[in-house]
Amino acid sequence: MDKIKQDLMKEVADLIKQGGVVAFTGAGISVESGIPPFRGAKGLWSKYNPEEYAYIETFLRNPEKVWIMLREMYRCFSEAKPNLAHLVLAEFETKGYLEAVITQNIDSLHQKAGSKKVIELHGSGDRLVCLDCEKEYPFIEEYLKLTPYPKCKRCNKPLKPAIVFFGEPLPEKALSQAFELVKSCKVLIVIGTSGVVYPAAYLPYEAKRSGAKIIEINPEESAYTNSITDYFFKEKAGEFFKNLSFFYN
Ligand code: NAD
Ligand code: ZN
């Protein structure tokens, strides 16, 4: 690490230690856990175009087809473990630096890492819901064996993971909590999000408008990098947190 990078790392570590930090995470934080992001067409999503398969109309028309993709998605999730980035965010919360994680992810890896306050903007794969009677069922592996798809015990309609599909509204409570958090935080750490999926993508702009410093970690530039980011670390999340650890001990 060169001197300029070291100084920057130290500045960021000091900022974080002052507290009032919120993290905003996207698919990129889970890449090093083995879950591919949507963009950059790799793995799962080159086989199943998310804009087709994760579209609510497709599910309503043809749940059987969408469940073929969902089975693979769940297998991918079940093999994934939290990585250093998820773990350090949980540690920041324990130390009192971090107030909450706002995530667009549906893989539950923040919770598995030990984070307590996690706002899930796009829902979660940890439960299934009946679109007809709204009854919820905690997700268990057994559901993946049911053909053509798991059904509601009450109305026999197809069950859908409680994740927000394209064309569906975001959970209102999570969205309003997220806006409250970014309006009052001092620092927003934006990790692994391209910043193009709205309305979630508004959050960093709102944080900046309210006076927060924006720290961004992404191996690629995002919609935020050249507009609102104060500290840009052009690297993988795991690499960033490994480097940052030198400034904590
Ligand atoms: P995205 O796929 O649009 O973008 C991912 C971003 O992560 C990119 O900017 C990429 O450069 C960056 N990235 C790649 N590897 C990284 C690494 N090792 N460390 C840090 N950053 C890395 O994802 P998005 O912006 O989150 O939006 C896509 C939508 O897809 C979201 O709504 C999300 O819910 C959903 N999604 C979720 C998962 C998951 O739960 N793990 C996976 C795929 C997609
Ligand atoms: Zn039902």
Side-chain angles (χ1 to χ4, degrees):
M1 214 190 305
D2 62 29
K3 177 81 171 74
I4 300 174
K5 177 90 180 276
Q6 271 186 34
D7 290 348
L8 213 59
M9 276 282 173
K10 171 141 195 347
E11 211 174 305
V12 161
D14 289 344
L15 255 181
I16 293 171
K17 283 188 218 166
Q18 285 170 25
V21 179
V22 168
F24 176 53
T25 66
I29 195 171
S30 296
V31 167
E32 288 160 272
S33 293
I35 303 177
F38 278 170
R39 285 158 198 83
K42 264 222 215 124
L44 194 60
W45 309 118
S46 52
K47 208 153 114 195
Y48 304 105
N49 176 8
E51 279 169 38
E52 183 189 349
Y53 280 82
Y55 185 47
I56 187 64
E57 291 299 329
T58 314
F59 185 86
L60 295 173
R61 241 187 359 250
N62 194 348
E64 184 170 353
K65 167 177 161 161
V66 176
W67 265 102
I68 294 172
M69 174 274 283
L70 290 171
R71 270 183 214 105
E72 275 199 50
M73 184 197 80
Y74 273 115
R75 294 218 168 88
C76 177
F77 285 2
S78 72
E79 285 162 18
K81 290 192 186 66
N83 63 54
L84 184 68
H86 298 103
L87 294 167
V88 173
L89 290 180
E91 190 186 322
F92 282 173
E93 185 182 16
T94 309
K95 285 182 169 164
Y97 306 151
L98 187 105
E99 286 170 16
V101 176
I102 303 169
T103 190
Q104 301 168 79
N105 298 342
I106 50 170
D107 55 27
S108 306
L109 288 181
H110 286 297
Q111 289 89 336
K112 285 188 186 157
S115 282
K116 298 280 179 285
K117 186 149 183 206
V118 183
I119 313 284
E120 293 173 313
L121 291 176
H122 294 157
S124 171
D126 71 357
R127 58 196 190 279
L128 304 179
V129 60
C130 170
L131 295 180
D132 226 51
C133 72
E134 293 179 8
K135 185 171 164 56
E136 293 198 339
Y137 299 80
F139 173 79
I140 44 166
E141 298 273 331
E142 299 305 307
Y143 285 125
L144 303 182
K145 294 184 192 142
L146 302 176
T147 51
Y149 43 73
K151 292 177 185 168
C152 178
K153 288 200 179 82
R154 284 212 293 236
C155 42
N156 215 31
K157 287 276 166 38
L159 293 179
K160 178 189 153 291
I163 54 185
V164 177
F165 276 41
F166 291 113
E168 285 190 301
L170 268 58
E172 245 169 69
K173 190 170 160 226
L175 195 62
S176 64
Q177 280 181 324
F179 272 97
E180 284 313 307
L181 280 160
V182 296
K183 277 183 195 162
S184 61
C185 71
K186 293 194 187 112
V187 175
L188 186 73
I189 312 181
V190 180
I191 309 167
T193 180
S194 50
V196 296
V197 181
Y198 282 90
Y202 282 123
L203 289 162
Y205 297 108
E206 194 61 40
K208 181 76 174 183
R209 235 193 317 277
S210 309
K213 290 272 186 241
I214 311 292
I215 300 169
E216 186 186 7
I217 302 110
N218 196 318
E220 307 293 334
E221 290 185 356
S222 75
Y224 310 117
T225 312
N226 296 308
S227 52
I228 56 165
T229 297
D230 295 292
Y231 300 91
F232 182 52
F233 295 89
K234 196 175 191 310
E235 59 198 359
K236 291 181 180 175
E239 202 174 318
F240 170 80
F241 284 104
K242 193 175 90 213
N243 289 334
L244 192 72
S245 68
F246 295 113
F247 298 91
Y248 277 91
N249 304 316

